[in-house]
């Protein structure tokens, strides 16, 4: 395995990656239903699940039948410490196995030296954070030789910052790095509901021209907080936001995220058909 960096990915207005796919996050519990749904052509895999070479056979089988796109949770792109070379090497092996043309991660922090938070921690929206993320995005794109798509996360509170708002921070990072956007519409909606903001206004501040990947999911209420639990059907308000996004761009792959509560696989998987209809009509 060649461990040399592949070279910089030039930031720029146009990054051509394969888009137009509709599907779900790969979950073994859903595969019987998915295999009977001809409208599902794309699966998103969690790269960390396939770091072990013993799991690669399954990865190859999935890639033979579907457009497989890799996604991760452990990069910690906002950490002051640099991305770990061995972790990047494992990602690169997964990407090579499926011929990925981009890699996606959350704009967040999950690690500090010696500590794995086990949680997607929000970053302080500051110029210092932009600098750190920009340095790390360069390292990752250089090592993988692929563009990185950054995902907006849910967070329970607004971190106070004199520099910029959460949406300005996201846009600043994308402008500065040339990274692509994984727009999680449910995350945007959930933050707006919990923080008392208007989702349409929030959406209008996102760099939609850089979107190449979209997530939809459904959460649940816990007391008076909307929790992004990936356990329920996508709510109507999120479908409406998808309509708005689709009126601006359709240049993305769309993934339904459903990670628990598999009692009704038909309903879960059929959301992919609805997504196709919303985006394409
Ligand atoms: Fe997501």
């Amino acid at each position: 395995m060649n461990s040399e960096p592949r070279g910089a990915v030039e930031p720029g207005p146009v990054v051509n990656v394969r888009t137009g796919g509709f599907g779900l996050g790969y979950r073994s519990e859903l595969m019987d239903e998915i295999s009977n749904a001809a409208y599902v052509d794309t699966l998103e895999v969690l790269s960390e699940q396939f770091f072990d070479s013993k799991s690669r056979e399954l990865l190859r089988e999935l890639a033979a039948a579907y457009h497989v796109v890799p996604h991760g949770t452990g990069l910690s792109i906002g950490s002051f410490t640099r991305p770990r070379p061995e972790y990047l090497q494992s990602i690169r092996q997964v990407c090579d196995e499926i011929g990925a043309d981009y890699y996606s991660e959350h704009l967040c922090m999950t690690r500090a030296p010696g500590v794995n938070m086990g949680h997607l921690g929000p970053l302080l929206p500051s110029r210092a954070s932009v600098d750190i993320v920009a340095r790390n995005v360069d390292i990752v794109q250089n090592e993988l030789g692929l563009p990185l798509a950054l995902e907006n996360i849910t967070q329970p509170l607004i971190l106070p910052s004199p520099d910029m708002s959460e949406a300005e921070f996201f846009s600043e990072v994308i402008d500065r790095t040339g990274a692509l956007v994984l727009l999680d519409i449910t995350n945007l909606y959930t933050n707006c509901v919990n923080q008392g903001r208007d989702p349409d206004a929030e959406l209008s501040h996102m760099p939609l021209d850089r979107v190449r990947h979209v997530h939809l999911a459904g959460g649940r209420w816990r007391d008076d907080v909307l929790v992004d639990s990936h356990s329920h059907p996508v709510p109507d308000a999120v479908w409406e936001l998808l309509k708005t996004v689709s009126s601006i761009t359709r240049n993305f792959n769309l993934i339904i995220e459903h990670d628990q509560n598999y009692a009704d696989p038909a309903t879960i998987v059929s959301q992919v058909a609805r997504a196709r209809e919303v985006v394409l009509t």
Side-chain angles (χ1 to χ4, degrees), residues 130-178:
V130 173
D131 289 344
I132 290 168
V133 172
R135 180 203 66 186
N136 289 345
V137 168
D138 272 354
I139 291 170
V140 172
Q141 294 192 144
N142 193 47
E143 180 60 38
L144 299 183
L146 296 174
L148 187 63
L150 292 174
E151 175 175 1
N152 56 305
I153 66 164
T154 53
Q155 54 190 79
L157 49 97
I158 301 173
L159 295 176
S161 167
D163 290 356
M164 60 189 88
S165 70
E166 197 182 302
E168 286 168 342
F169 173 63
F170 194 88
S171 290
E172 180 80 20
V173 164
I174 298 303
D175 280 354
R176 173 90 172 267
T177 61

Side-chain angles (χ1 to χ4, degrees), residues 99-122:
D101 57 4
Y102 65 97
Y103 186 72
S104 68
E105 249 291 356
H106 307 83
L107 179 57
C108 74
M109 172 176 159
T110 58
R111 299 177 68 87
V115 180
N116 184 347
M117 293 161 60
H119 177 76
L120 306 179

Side-chain angles (χ1 to χ4, degrees), residues 44 71 106 151-152 182 184 187 215-217 228 230 257:
E44 181 184 87
H71 182 53
H106 307 83
E151 175 175 1
N152 56 305
L182 191 177
D184 190 315
N187 287 354
H215 278 170
L216 306 180
D228 179 37
H230 297 182
E257 294 185 291

Side-chain angles (χ1 to χ4, degrees), residues 37-54:
Y39 49 82
V40 175
D41 58 23
T42 301
L43 294 178
E44 181 184 87
V45 295
L46 276 175
S47 57
E48 290 93 343
Q49 283 184 358
F50 296 95
F51 280 180
D52 182 345
S53 58
K54 291 185 199 129

Side-chain angles (χ1 to χ4, degrees), residues 236-256:
D236 287 345
V238 169
W239 288 114
E240 286 302 313
L241 290 168
L242 176 63
K243 248 186 233 174
T244 304
V245 171
S246 303
S247 71
I248 297 165
T249 180
R250 297 173 177 174
N251 189 12
F252 51 75
N253 296 307
L254 185 146
I255 293 295
I256 304 283

Side-chain angles (χ1 to χ4, degrees), residues 5-81:
R6 287 181 172 153
V9 172
E10 289 298 321
V14 178
V15 175
N16 291 318
V17 297
R18 177 180 168 188
T19 55
F22 291 85
L24 301 104
Y26 166 74
R27 300 290 178 272
S28 57
E29 293 89 341
L30 297 174
M31 285 313 289
D32 281 350
E33 191 68 32
I34 288 174
S35 61
N36 290 317
Y39 49 82
V40 175
D41 58 23
T42 301
L43 294 178
E44 181 184 87
V45 295
L46 276 175
S47 57
E48 290 93 343
Q49 283 184 358
F50 296 95
F51 280 180
D52 182 345
S53 58
K54 291 185 199 129
S55 61
R56 298 287 166 75
E57 185 57 35
L58 171 60
L59 190 60
R60 283 190 284 274
E61 281 174 22
L62 294 175
Y66 296 94
H67 175 209
V68 174
V69 288
H71 182 53
T73 60
L75 188 54
S76 200
I77 200 76
S79 285
F80 182 72
T81 47

